[in-house]
Amino acid sequence: GGRRTIKKKTIGEEAATMSEVSTKLDLARAYIDMGDPEGARSILDEVVKEGSAVQKQEAERLMSSLP
């Protein structure tokens, strides 16, 4: 079998994505507080796609609390 090469992100890109995703988590919480579960859900969907394992867990936890 041929080796698959996985494009590695640089540390800077990784950190930028992490902080961007954590901003999205904060934003989703704000939407939830404002009573906008649809807005929160669309942001949390992005977090699930882009986030770290911990961030994905948090996003899924928040989603499960949505009405």
Side-chain angles (χ1 to χ4, degrees):
R3 270 193 353 204
R4 279 195 322 208
T5 56
I6 295 166
K7 187 178 162 293
K8 284 258 197 261
K9 288 183 177 179
T10 66
I11 300 297
E13 282 176 316
E14 197 68 50
T17 303
M18 292 287 285
S19 78
E20 197 178 294
V21 172
S22 97
T23 302
K24 285 180 180 175
L25 279 169
D26 290 340
L27 192 59
R29 287 188 196 99
Y31 274 80
I32 293 166
D33 291 343
M34 291 186 304
D36 182 358
E38 288 310 308
R41 188 172 283 115
S42 68
I43 295 167
L44 290 169
D45 279 336
E46 292 176 31
V47 174
V48 169
K49 286 185 205 122
E50 300 165 12
S52 68
V54 172
Q55 289 168 328
K56 288 177 185 186
Q57 258 181 333
E58 177 64 8
E60 283 162 8
R61 191 184 66 74
L62 287 168
M63 275 178 163
S64 69
S65 75
L66 293 174

